[in-house]
Amino acid sequence: MDRFADPDALPGWFVALPDRTEAAPVGAALRRWAVREVSHSSGRPWLLGRWDDGAMTVGAAGASRVALLGEHAVTGAELSAVAGRLRTAADCERAVGERAVGSFAGSFHLAASAGGCVRVQGSVTGLRPVFHARVGDVAVAGDRADVLARLLDAPVDERLLAVRLLNSFALHPVAGLPVWQGVAVLPGGHCLLLDRDGRERQVRWWSPPEPVVPMAEGAARLREELGAAVAARVRGHELVSCDLGGLDSTSVCALAAGGSARVVAYTADGRDPMSDDVTWARRTVAGLDGVEHHVFAGDEVPLVYDGLGEADDLFDEPCPAVVHRGGWLVIPRSAAARGSRLHLTGFGGDELLAGSPAHLHALLRSRPRLAWQRVRGFAAQRPWSYRQTLRQLRDGSPYRAWLARVAEQLTAVPPPEDTPTLDWGMPPRLPPWATPDAVAAVRDVIRDAARTARPLAPTRGQHVELEAMRSTSRMVRQLGQMAARFGVGLAAPYYDDRVVEAGLAVRPQDRVTPWRYKPLIVEAMRGVVPEESLSRHTKDEGSHDVEAGLRENRAGLLDLCEDSRLARLGLVDADALREVCRRPLPPSLQFDALYQTVACELWLRTLQGAAAVPS
């Protein structure tokens, strides 16, 4: 089948080229699709692609250039001041990350050109990824894997597509690897350097902070950084829209309401009679000045799996959120009709603010009495298996060993519900409809990674939190592409580098406790969020709606089993998948196991349907 969507139809993209004459053919190929171009001081092409008016800000000083593409309030003059401090390739490597990224609020890609060196970097969570490839003798970087794959005429990597069947799809470092042969992605916190001699290097520019900041100081800093993140988006808008549901989106909404823009808030009610988002949202709006509030009743929101045949978004990888595409788009579509061009969300708050109990593994070794108190609290609350809790706390094996064990357990019975969460992560599983070939491929990929893998942070707690951020930020990136089709920019301030750093720097014993719900954001938002709303300790979890969606859309799921593209590739057993779709999921199978498979199937079908012969 044809493999590529027409780049003219993609929602937005850019590619960065080195300052070399050898890059001219690649630039010529990109010009067939690109509508915007920024040059090196030499006049050679540097940044080519498609982006909205105002999305790219460029500063120049002498032969140096610095560009930001994304959500920020940085001016060209400020970037020119940064560019003026860049003279050599060494300046480009060392100084620009600290001076440009470290001081500006927002979420963006950074590109710099100085002394014959090009630097490209995204965000630490992966919300702004940097993909790279070698096209002939030229190394290039960009923000969409499929654009680079088209330059290479590269096929889908079936082994890495099989990895996308894992549940859950949060497994560093294999999660997020591009599904195109010859295309790679930078690890979070790294930049890509392209020099004038054709060499490329990956350099770490960010590491997670030491979690040593006390609550009072950390809450003040989080309030400052989250406030700056929201202000950087809202500035210049007369009207913005916000999600208003849980405590995380409530905080963002309240910060936006403190600005000059009119705020329109949206809450989607659930069909679950225990859902209480609307109740809390109305209390919040009553305590804020001038917020316009709209509520969607549960029966106004499409169910999970509704409209599977209508999914036609052109992603560069499978997107699990596509299974609830109709339901998720209700709010962005309404916000666009109301006149909003910016929609603020609370995505990322759970991973950053709820905190992982895995921090107790390290805390036990430094403050054992306090750690045991917390362990007993979590064990009683969840509840946890006492035997497994002790085993995980005593286990000091490195991440590589844990990852190697994951490779051997891909088809084992999933961990029981009383399994504690004190390890490097919850070991994922492949669904029962994965073929032996798919299992073997995934096992090989994980084994290969385990030989050299390093955790995202020295401690289990920070590793788990960062891995969760990176996993969900990939989906939020795709949700942003969906919303962009309505002319709405989706903003997730909790994924900003400075906000992430502020949260992770707080002592885990202050922010991870079984007796308080998200204490860090509660303390940070005192005086901003109405006091009554800060007392909330519940969160709608949505399983009721998922069960209903599976029941109502069984026929659509069975249709996907017919002439399955995944089955054609030998990755799933269509008969086994069909049998599962015919009845309620068994208790041993989580809902998102089916999400992953449906996402991969729909992605392959959309790719085939939108493919165009290269011009």
Side-chain angles (χ1 to χ4, degrees):
M1 68 178 181
D2 292 327
R3 296 188 298 272
F4 307 108
D6 187 345
D8 291 345
L10 298 181
W13 54 273
F14 80 89
V15 174
L17 303 181
D19 193 2
R20 304 181 63 212
T21 57
E22 291 83 355
V26 183
L30 287 168
R31 284 191 181 109
R32 292 182 296 172
W33 315 321
V35 296
R36 299 183 187 270
E37 181 174 336
V38 181
S39 299
H40 293 284
S41 62
S42 64
R44 300 185 185 104
W46 174 33
L47 303 171
L48 299 98
R50 292 173 173 265
W51 53 84
D52 293 337
D53 292 339
M56 175 82 77
T57 304
V58 180
S64 301
R65 305 282 187 273
V66 177
L68 297 186
L69 180 62
E71 302 160 2
H72 58 83
V74 185
T75 65
E78 290 174 301
L79 287 185
S80 293
V82 175
R85 295 191 288 267
L86 307 180
R87 297 284 187 272
T88 66
D91 292 336
C92 190
E93 176 178 341
R94 292 193 299 267
V96 78
E98 175 186 350
R99 291 176 180 170
V101 175
S103 60
F104 296 143
S107 175
F108 42 79
H109 284 91
L110 163 77
S113 172
C117 174
V118 170
R119 175 184 177 127
V120 185
Q121 68 188 56
S123 59
V124 301
T125 64
L127 183 64
R128 305 276 177 177
V130 175
F131 301 100
H132 57 103
R134 292 197 70 86
V135 184
D137 294 329
V138 177
V140 301
D143 67 339
R144 283 193 66 109
D146 51 356
V147 172
L148 300 189
R150 181 156 185 161
L151 286 171
L152 294 168
D153 193 27
V156 171
D157 189 322
E158 295 173 15
R159 294 170 69 246
L160 295 179
L161 184 60
V163 171
R164 300 301 177 109
L165 299 175
L166 280 171
N167 175 47
S168 68
F169 187 57
L171 187 66
H172 168 75
V174 302
L177 292 176
V179 293
W180 302 94
Q181 292 183 22
V183 180
V185 65
L186 284 184
H190 287 68
C191 67
L192 187 70
L193 299 175
L194 311 175
D195 68 24
R196 61 176 28 152
D197 296 322
R199 294 184 295 263
E200 59 182 298
R201 287 188 294 132
Q202 298 180 27
V203 177
R204 175 181 285 277
W205 65 272
W206 183 89
S207 295
E210 286 290 325
V212 296
V213 177
M215 172 63 83
E217 180 183 343
R221 185 184 171 202
L222 179 64
R223 175 174 173 165
E224 176 185 354
E225 299 295 2
L226 187 59
V230 172
R233 271 86 168 189
V234 172
R235 191 174 306 163
H237 289 270
E238 293 183 1
L239 181 148
V240 300
S241 54
C242 298
D243 287 339
L244 183 56
L247 186 55
D248 307 331
S249 59
T250 296
S251 300
V252 171
C253 183
L255 286 167
S260 59
R262 180 169 182 79
V263 174
V264 183
Y266 292 89
T267 305
D269 200 3
R271 289 172 169 83
D272 188 342
M274 299 300 291
S275 173
D276 60 354
D277 270 357
V278 172
T279 300
W280 285 98
R282 286 176 172 150
R283 292 173 183 171
T284 298
V285 170
L288 296 174
D289 291 331
V291 172
E292 179 183 321
H293 189 212
H294 299 270
V295 174
F296 292 96
D299 58 5
E300 295 180 290
V301 180
L303 290 165
V304 177
Y305 301 117
D306 275 3
L308 291 179
E310 300 170 6
D312 60 353
D313 302 276
L314 301 177
F315 302 122
D316 60 356
E317 62 178 358
C319 171
V322 76
V323 303
H324 201 194
R325 180 180 183 274
W328 188 83
L329 285 176
V330 164
I331 288 178
R333 184 183 286 114
S334 298
R338 178 63 182 81
S340 174
R341 294 297 173 262
L342 173 72
H343 187 76
L344 294 155
T345 76
F347 288 125
D350 282 340
E351 306 94 273
L352 182 64
L353 302 171
S356 170
H359 279 291
L360 298 176
H361 185 272
L363 190 64
L364 183 66
R365 285 144 180 83
S366 60
R367 300 191 62 182
R369 179 174 296 181
L370 177 61
W372 277 118
Q373 289 175 346
R374 300 288 169 85
V375 167
R376 286 195 291 269
F378 278 115
Q381 185 186 79
R382 299 298 168 105
W384 286 343
S385 158
Y386 182 70
R387 176 179 295 181
Q388 288 296 317
T389 298
L390 290 179
R391 185 196 67 77
Q392 290 188 7
L393 287 172
R394 289 170 177 167
D395 178 26
S397 59
Y399 183 69
R400 291 178 189 176
W402 179 85
L403 195 59
R405 289 198 298 270
V406 167
E408 305 309 316
Q409 299 170 352
L410 293 176
T411 58
V413 175
E417 291 186 2
D418 64 352
T419 300
T421 53
L422 301 167
D423 216 330
W424 288 106
M426 290 296 286
R429 297 289 190 262
L430 283 170
W433 52 82
T435 63
D437 286 346
V439 173
V442 176
R443 182 167 287 135
D444 286 346
V445 170
I446 297 174
R447 283 172 175 167
D448 289 346
R451 295 188 180 99
T452 58
R454 295 182 178 182
L456 295 168
T459 66
R460 294 183 180 186
Q462 272 198 342
H463 169 84
V464 169
E465 290 165 351
L466 280 168
E467 186 172 53
M469 290 178 207
R470 294 183 181 187
S471 175
T472 53
S473 71
R474 288 192 295 272
M475 183 184 68
V476 174
R477 167 182 172 244
Q478 295 160 332
L479 292 176
Q481 293 170 19
M482 291 185 198
R485 298 179 69 174
F486 301 100
V488 178
L490 186 74
Y494 287 107
Y495 285 127
D496 287 11
D497 295 349
R498 290 170 55 181
V499 176
V500 168
E501 195 167 73
L504 292 181
V506 177
R507 297 184 306 198
Q509 61 265 37
D510 289 349
R511 64 184 181 91
V512 184
T513 167
W515 299 294
R516 292 186 67 191
Y517 181 66
K518 299 183 178 178
L520 177 58
I521 194 65
V522 170
E523 297 305 318
M525 290 294 106
R526 293 202 184 279
V528 176
V529 171
E531 194 66 25
E532 184 181 13
S533 298
L534 291 176
S535 66
R536 184 178 184 183
H537 58 274
T538 61
K539 178 180 174 64
D540 290 358
E541 53 89 30
S543 62
H544 180 278
D545 292 357
V546 176
E547 182 65 51
L550 182 62
R551 183 173 60 252
E552 295 296 323
N553 292 291
R554 201 173 303 283
L557 289 169
L558 289 171
D559 285 345
L560 289 181
C561 299
E562 302 304 321
D563 193 23
S564 164
R565 276 50 168 186
L566 288 169
R568 285 189 202 175
L569 296 176
L571 300 181
V572 305
D573 181 331
D575 291 334
L577 178 59
R578 188 180 296 108
E579 284 303 308
V580 169
C581 291
R582 280 177 174 159
R583 53 184 58 89
L585 294 183
S588 62
L589 198 62
Q590 294 177 325
F591 290 122
D592 46 1
L594 188 55
Y595 290 178
Q596 296 293 140
T597 298
V598 171
C600 291
E601 180 67 33
L602 288 174
W603 182 72
L604 288 172
R605 292 180 181 224
T606 303
L607 195 68
Q608 185 177 24
V613 177
S615 58

